[in-house]
């Protein structure tokens, strides 16, 4: 149980375009989802926390208008990188938590490359 | 966000050796977690610790939740090549409802 599916696993896009990443909890209802960014050889950096049906809470320094997060249902959250630039190239990972505490299951990550 | 102090940052060991890594924090956590991340993948939960002093094993892995609730260690016994990866500790606090991650320990195993 507690499976989180993240798509796409890797995407290459042109500078100036937008990219959407999906995170789905397959066998539980995710009341809270988290989006992380990870640079090479570094730890996970929390970008934002989203609760179903409400606006996401962004960490300091993360641009809300650039990284749009939607958590419209208990099984789906999306991260849209708008007007992507090469510096947005990174590994993005979501995680989900249900009622109580289930150890925060992570998605398999999305490698974004902006050219 | 805030990070835990995880050490060592990297280890290069011979197959069959035991490995030990730890995390310390200035803050108290209600839960300690240990994850393993392989290249191009998300972290996978290895062990979760819910009680101060708790010692839990998962195969060749053993982890303990420190009595002060400010530290935890992970041991891997008789390492094998597939143990290669980055190991992260994470602390969870009910009040914040979020995980705080250590900087990671990169483990390399020489056959």
């Amino acid at each position: 149980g507690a499976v989180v599916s993240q798509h796409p696993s890797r995407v290459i896009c042109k500078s100036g375009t937008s990219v959407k990443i999906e995170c789905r909890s397959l066998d539980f209802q995710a009341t809270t989802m988290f989006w992380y960014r990870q640079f090479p050889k570094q730890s996970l950096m929390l970008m934002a926390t989203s609760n179903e049906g409400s606006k996401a809470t962004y960490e300091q320094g993360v641009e809300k208008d650039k990284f749009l997060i939607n958590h419209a249902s208990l099984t789906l959250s999306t991260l849209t990188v708008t007007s992507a630039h090469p510096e947005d190239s990174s590994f993005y990972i979501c995680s989900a938590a249900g009622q109580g505490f289930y150890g925060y299951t992570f998605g398999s990550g999305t490698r974004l490359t902006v050219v | 966000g805030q990070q835990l102090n995880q050490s060592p940052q990297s280890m290069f060991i011979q197959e069959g050796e035991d490995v030990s890594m730890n995390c310390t924090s200035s803050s108290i956590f209600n839960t300690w977690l240990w994850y393993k991340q392989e290249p191009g993948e998300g972290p996978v939960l290895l062990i979760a610790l819910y009680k101060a002093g708790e010692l839990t094993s998962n195969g060749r892995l053993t982890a303990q939740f420190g009595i002060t609730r400010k530290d935890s260690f992970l041991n891997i016994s008789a390492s094998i090549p597939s143990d290669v990866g980055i190991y992260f500790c994470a602390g969870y606090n009910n009040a914040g409802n979020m995980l705080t991650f250590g900087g990671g320990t990169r483990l390399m195993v020489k056959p």
Side-chain angles (χ1 to χ4, degrees):
Chain A
V3 177
V4 173
S5 173
Q6 185 174 343
H7 290 282
S9 58
R10 50 179 73 227
V11 56
I12 301 172
C13 72
K14 288 186 177 179
S15 190
T17 62
S18 295
V19 173
K20 181 185 281 190
I21 302 169
E22 289 190 349
C23 182
R24 293 181 184 271
S25 57
L26 298 186
D27 52 2
F28 68 101
Q29 293 186 326
T31 50
T32 308
M33 286 191 173
F34 304 85
W35 287 96
Y36 296 85
R37 184 173 181 176
Q38 187 177 34
F39 292 103
K41 297 186 179 182
Q42 292 192 23
S43 188
L44 287 77
M45 182 185 78
L46 180 65
M47 298 174 67
T49 302
S50 72
N51 292 298
E52 184 262 338
S54 60
K55 288 185 179 179
T57 302
Y58 290 80
E59 294 298 299
Q60 194 172 5
V62 178
E63 297 176 62
K64 300 178 185 182
D65 295 332
K66 179 157 197 66
F67 299 101
L68 300 179
I69 291 171
N70 185 280
H71 191 167
S73 77
L74 283 171
T75 58
L76 174 65
S77 177
T78 59
L79 167 67
T80 302
V81 183
T82 62
S83 187
H85 290 286
E87 57 266 28
D88 298 325
S89 299
S90 192
F91 193 57
Y92 294 88
I93 311 173
C94 70
S95 72
Q99 289 291 339
F101 181 70
Y102 297 104
Y104 285 39
T105 304
F106 284 82
S108 54
T110 298
R111 170 76 57 197
L112 170 63
T113 303
V114 184
V115 297
Chain B
Q2 176 189 358
Q3 281 200 343
L4 301 173
N5 297 313
Q6 183 172 349
S7 64
Q9 287 187 339
S10 64
M11 303 180 75
F12 188 56
I13 61 168
Q14 194 77 34
E15 182 178 2
E17 289 183 358
D18 297 342
V19 172
S20 185
M21 58 192 81
N22 69 83
C23 273
T24 59
S25 170
S26 56
S27 306
I28 288 173
F29 289 103
N30 302 114
T31 302
W32 281 90
L33 305 161
W34 285 93
Y35 289 88
K36 179 186 178 186
Q37 185 180 27
E38 299 193 13
E41 298 289 332
V44 173
L45 182 65
L46 299 173
I47 292 181
L49 303 158
Y50 300 103
K51 207 162 105 173
E54 180 181 352
L55 182 71
T56 297
S57 293
N58 179 6
R60 293 178 296 106
L61 278 60
T62 302
Q64 183 157 33
F65 189 149
I67 288 288
T68 64
R69 292 200 283 158
K70 293 182 179 181
D71 63 299
S72 176
F73 72 74
L74 173 70
N75 288 343
I76 305 173
S77 62
S79 58
I80 58 178
S82 62
D83 290 333
V84 165
I86 304 176
Y87 292 80
F88 290 101
C89 64
Y92 175 79
N93 192 310
N94 292 345
N97 192 32
M98 57 178 279
L99 291 181
T100 301
F101 279 90
T105 296
R106 182 178 296 271
L107 178 63
M108 294 158 279
V109 180
K110 186 177 178 183

